[in-house]
């Protein structure tokens, strides 16, 4: 088995014993594992017996914010969405006993496909295919929001009433849990959001962090989206929050210019739908009114700022695994400024 320091946070011997009991025959034999880079929150490992791979997901090491890294939530929503128009992996097994590897975790099928994060990767497939991929990204989000959550057994997955008010309060609380320094404007943004919560319309399943590099695209099979990943913040609530998060990533990338470092620059690629085109396509496919997105964009930027501040906090304390964390702290001020701009209109 791979040496423990290579797969920090995943005890392969304990996983082997647990799999034999909970999913016999799924992955027999000696196991090795590798950390899949790119994740800045929950930890994702590829585990193999040399013939077949599975994915193991567990919370980050140290400073785990309450409700922010719920493995059971991820497992449940993907299991529920199996058989719908939303592509998700097959769930293999879930472990709620923290004593097995030191945290709750689940195991799922490893899906094929590429998570496009950089514009340079999209440039390889060209503008026409990039446009088609990003159209499918928007369409898949609209399809998610069209799922009857009662029919798939998620009627108690969240509390739609008062969702936006609770979101603001939740992320303010998360910020307080991660404070280690002064951040100009972030409290003003929180106050603006608190004072301007709109009424929530029809509620749907909400992904919570929807963007291109949280889906896998099979470039060998018509550039179809094979799966939507990273459901740790999923719930029932206002679908426009998902639209706003997707748009926030687009705006940040477009404003950052070439070689934007930590922020995904995929939206800079030729052919990538513009923010306006994304909104228009979502509105057409979903039939929803998307004319007022200021509050939702402000909330999206606030949420992303709080998430990154939590990552910065853990990284500063030496509690992150993998690479790509340097410079996270510097990304937060632009998020706050975008949020203030969005809520000033």
């Amino acid at each position: 088995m791979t040496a423990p320091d290579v797969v920090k946070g995943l005890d392969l011997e304990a996983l082997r014993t647990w799999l034999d009991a909970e999913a016999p025959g799924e992955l027999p034999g000696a196991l090795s594992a590798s950390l899949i880079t790119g994740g800045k929150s929950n930890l994702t490992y590829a585990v193999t017996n040399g013939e077949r791979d599975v994915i193991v997901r567990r919370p980050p090491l140290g400073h785990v914010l309450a409700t922010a890294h719920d493995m059971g939530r991820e497992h449940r929503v993907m299991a529920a969405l199996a058989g719908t128009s939303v592509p998700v992996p097959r769930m293999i097994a879930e472990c709620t006993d923290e004593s097995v590897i030191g945290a709750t975790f689940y195991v799922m099928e490893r899906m094929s496909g590429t998570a496009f994060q950089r514009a340079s990767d999209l440039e390889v497939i060209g503008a026409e295919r990039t446009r088609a991929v990003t159209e499918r990204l928007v369409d898949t989000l609209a399809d998610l929001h069209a799922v009857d959550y009662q029919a798939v057994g998620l009627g108690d997955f969240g509390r739609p009433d008062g969702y936006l008010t609770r979101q603001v309060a939740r992320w303010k609380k998360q910020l307080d849990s991660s404070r280690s320094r002064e951040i100009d404007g972030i409290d003003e943004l929180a106050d603006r959001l608190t004072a301007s919560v709109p009424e929530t319309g029809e509620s749907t399943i909400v992904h919570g962090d929807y963007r291109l590099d949280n889906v896998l695209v099979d470039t060998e099979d018509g550039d179809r989206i094979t799966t939507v990943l990273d459901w740790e913040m999923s719930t029932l609530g206002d679908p426009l929050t998902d639209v706003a998060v997707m748009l926030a990533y687009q705006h940040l990338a477009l404003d950052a210019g070439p070689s934007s470092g930590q922020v995904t620059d995929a939206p800079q690629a030729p052919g990538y739908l513009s923010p306006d085109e994304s909104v228009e396509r979502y509105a057409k496919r979903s039939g929803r009114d998307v004319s007022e997105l200021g509050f939702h964009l402000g909330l999206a930027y606030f949420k992303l700022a709080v998430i990154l501040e939590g990552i910065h906090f853990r990284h500063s304390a030496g509690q992150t695994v993998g690479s790509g964390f340097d410079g996270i702290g510097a990304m937060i001020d632009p998020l706050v400024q975008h949020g203030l701009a969005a809520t000033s209109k």
Side-chain angles (χ1 to χ4, degrees):
M1 295 186 181
T2 304
D5 61 336
V6 177
V7 285
K8 186 177 180 181
L10 181 61
D11 183 331
L12 286 171
E13 184 175 352
L15 178 65
R16 167 77 282 148
T17 301
W18 180 83
L19 278 171
D20 287 342
E22 299 297 325
E26 277 286 349
L27 200 70
L31 303 179
S32 61
S34 59
L35 180 71
I36 296 180
T37 59
K40 301 294 188 293
S41 186
N42 287 337
L43 304 180
T44 305
Y45 304 88
V47 179
T48 183
N49 63 358
E51 296 181 356
R52 180 167 171 261
D53 294 356
V54 299
I55 296 294
V56 175
R57 288 268 287 175
R58 61 149 290 168
L61 307 180
H63 190 62
V64 176
L65 298 174
T67 75
H69 307 285
D70 190 337
M71 295 295 93
R73 194 163 203 83
E74 284 198 351
H75 181 272
R76 184 182 174 191
V77 69
M78 285 189 283
L81 288 170
T84 71
S85 59
V86 182
V88 288
R90 178 176 67 90
M91 298 295 103
I92 295 171
E94 177 190 12
C95 181
T96 59
D97 182 355
E98 294 187 3
S99 69
V100 176
I101 66 166
T104 60
F105 67 95
Y106 66 90
V107 183
M108 63 183 176
E109 175 186 14
R110 185 172 191 179
M111 303 296 289
S112 62
T114 299
F116 287 107
Q117 186 178 30
R118 312 312 306 176
S120 56
D121 297 328
L122 287 169
E123 287 167 1
V124 172
I125 68 172
E128 184 176 348
R129 290 173 63 188
T130 294
R131 182 172 184 86
V133 165
T134 52
E135 287 175 343
R136 289 174 191 140
L137 179 72
V138 175
D139 292 350
T140 300
L141 182 61
D143 291 347
L144 169 65
H145 294 160
V147 171
D148 183 338
Y149 59 81
Q150 295 282 3
V152 298
L154 294 177
D156 62 346
F157 194 59
R159 293 179 294 149
D161 292 343
Y163 168 75
L164 292 176
T165 298
R166 289 196 309 277
Q167 279 286 292
V168 175
R170 172 191 174 184
W171 291 106
K172 287 174 67 175
K173 182 178 180 180
Q174 303 284 43
L175 174 63
D176 290 337
S177 298
S178 302
R179 283 188 189 269
S180 60
R181 56 185 183 147
E182 291 295 320
I183 303 172
D184 290 342
I186 199 164
D187 291 311
E188 180 184 352
L189 176 55
D191 291 342
R192 288 188 187 182
L193 293 170
T194 302
S196 60
V197 178
E199 291 187 9
T200 300
E202 177 192 7
S203 295
T204 70
I205 301 171
V206 171
H207 180 276
D209 193 26
Y210 193 78
R211 63 185 194 266
L212 183 60
D213 55 323
N214 272 344
V215 307
L216 297 182
V217 178
D218 192 337
T219 56
E220 302 299 319
D221 186 16
D223 295 328
R224 66 185 180 90
I225 293 177
T226 61
T227 192
V228 180
L229 298 171
D230 289 357
W231 294 87
E232 63 190 276
M233 290 187 289
S234 58
T235 188
L236 303 181
D238 189 329
L240 295 187
T241 56
D242 272 343
V243 177
V245 166
M246 180 178 65
L247 294 175
Y249 282 112
Q250 288 184 261
H251 285 299
L252 288 169
L254 294 172
D255 290 350
S259 302
S260 56
Q262 299 292 341
V263 179
T264 174
D265 66 356
Q268 297 176 18
Y272 201 110
L273 289 183
S274 70
D276 286 346
E277 288 173 325
S278 296
V279 170
E280 181 181 358
R281 188 173 184 91
Y282 176 85
K284 183 176 181 180
R285 191 171 181 96
S286 69
R288 288 190 176 86
D289 180 5
V290 294
S291 59
E292 297 294 337
L293 286 173
F295 169 87
H296 295 87
L297 280 169
L299 177 60
Y301 287 120
F302 180 63
K303 181 170 73 172
L304 293 176
V306 174
I307 291 169
L308 291 187
E309 185 62 14
I311 295 169
H312 171 74
F313 185 100
R314 292 197 299 275
H315 182 57
S316 299
Q319 295 174 330
T320 48
V321 178
S323 60
F325 296 97
D326 293 335
I328 286 286
M331 296 170 59
I332 295 164
D333 182 64
L335 287 165
V336 173
Q337 297 310 311
H338 275 282
L340 291 172
T343 54
S344 67
K345 298 175 183 178

